[in-house]
């Protein structure tokens, strides 16, 4: 895929939620940046501030943090046509406490924050699109927190494979275990139980 293909993928993704005319698309494409990451590269790490919205055009990524025992906790996974970020850092302008890392060679289409803020004024449809995305992200985070406190591990695993069928084969098992809040050994048990 070419850079133009990656941008078209993003525009078509946005058009699923809002209407864009040719002038909107022209203004929108002017602010876009392409970023390529190799496997294991970090988009950003703790202490850095998230300065862009990041659309995955190709590849697979995750966000995670390390607890006081240096144990990884995966918060988000993403593949093609998904967004990945530390919204806390992006919205609050505070330093991130998370790592955002490529799990495969990845191509991102980035929307730099300051240019995007201006675009919200120039192209109201883009503002509307991101309001929808941020609301959906909030709902998803709240559901995940409630599910992690109320569902048992097997139910969380079933929900994961139902919701993330394309991801399970692309992500190492220890990362899936981290996302579900179980050990890799217990994940193996859940997978056997499910099959």
């Amino acid at each position: 895929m070419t850079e133009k293909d990656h941008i078209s993928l993003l525009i078509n993704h946005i058009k699923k939620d809002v209407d864009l005319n040719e002038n909107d698309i022209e203004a929108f494409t002017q602010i876009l940046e392409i970023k390529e990451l190799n496997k294991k590269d970090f988009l950003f790490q703790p202490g850095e501030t998230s300065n862009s919205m990041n659309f995955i055009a190709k590849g697979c990524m995750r966000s995670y943090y390390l607890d006081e025992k240096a144990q990884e906790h995966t918060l988000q996974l993403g593949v093609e046509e998904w967004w990945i970020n530390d919204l806390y850092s992006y919205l609050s302008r505070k330093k991130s406490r998370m790592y955002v890392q490529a799990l495969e060679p990845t191509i991102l289409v980035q929307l730099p924050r300051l240019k995007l803020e201006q675009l919200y004024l120039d192209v109201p449809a883009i503002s509307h699109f991101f309001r929808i995305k941020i609301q959906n992200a909030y709902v998803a985070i709240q559901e995940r927190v409630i599910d992690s406190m109320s569902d048992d591990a097997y139910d969380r695993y079933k929900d994961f494979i139902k919701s993330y069928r394309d991801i399970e084969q692309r992500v190492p098992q220890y990362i899936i275990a981290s996302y579900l809040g179980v050990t890799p050994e217990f994940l193996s048990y859940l997978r056997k139980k499910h099959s």
Side-chain angles (χ1 to χ4, degrees), residues 2-187:
T2 66
E3 186 173 304
K4 186 176 179 181
D5 293 328
H6 300 311
I7 291 170
S8 293
L9 186 67
L10 173 55
I11 290 168
N12 290 333
H13 172 79
I14 291 172
K15 283 181 169 181
K16 291 175 188 172
D17 290 314
V18 297
D19 292 325
L20 295 176
N21 63 39
E22 288 305 314
N23 290 336
D24 295 340
I25 292 170
E26 178 64 27
F28 179 68
T29 56
Q30 295 298 314
I31 74 161
L32 302 178
E33 298 175 4
I34 302 293
K35 183 165 187 82
E36 294 188 32
L37 298 169
N38 295 315
K39 183 177 180 177
K40 296 189 177 184
D41 282 355
F42 291 100
L43 179 59
F44 55 84
Q45 299 182 53
E48 299 174 353
T49 304
S50 172
N51 290 311
S52 63
M53 295 300 281
N54 307 292
F55 177 77
I56 303 171
K58 177 180 181 286
C60 182
M61 298 191 71
R62 72 164 172 157
S63 68
Y64 69 97
Y65 75 96
L66 297 177
D67 66 18
E68 62 280 349
K69 297 177 184 172
Q71 189 167 17
E72 293 180 7
H73 299 275
T74 299
L75 301 174
Q76 183 183 8
L77 297 167
V79 293
E80 290 83 5
E81 295 193 56
W82 291 23
W83 296 85
I84 192 150
N85 209 345
D86 175 352
L87 282 178
Y88 170 80
S89 174
Y90 180 85
L91 295 171
S92 71
R93 309 307 313 134
K94 294 182 179 177
K95 294 187 184 314
S96 179
R97 293 181 282 175
M98 294 197 306
Y99 297 85
V100 177
Q101 182 183 42
L103 299 174
E104 298 174 354
T106 298
I107 297 175
L108 299 172
V109 182
Q110 295 186 302
L111 292 81
R113 187 182 66 81
L114 293 177
K115 292 177 182 178
L116 183 57
E117 293 288 332
Q118 181 59 48
L119 196 65
Y120 289 159
L121 302 174
D122 299 339
V123 183
I126 296 297
S127 178
H128 181 67
F129 172 79
F130 278 103
R131 182 177 55 80
I132 292 168
K133 287 298 171 193
I134 290 172
Q135 287 172 340
N136 290 344
Y138 179 79
V139 168
I141 288 168
Q142 188 168 346
E143 283 179 337
R144 182 152 182 247
V145 168
I146 291 169
D147 290 348
S148 72
M149 291 190 292
S150 60
D151 291 352
D152 68 20
Y154 184 57
D155 288 336
R156 291 195 311 270
Y157 176 70
K158 287 189 303 187
D159 287 345
F160 176 83
I161 59 174
K162 183 173 138 186
S163 300
Y164 303 104
R165 174 68 56 196
D166 297 340
I167 293 180
E168 188 180 15
Q169 304 308 316
R170 296 172 67 177
V171 175
Q173 294 303 299
Y174 79 93
I175 292 175
I176 294 172
S178 166
Y179 182 84
L180 295 173
V182 300
T183 64
E185 296 77 18
F186 195 66
L187 177 59

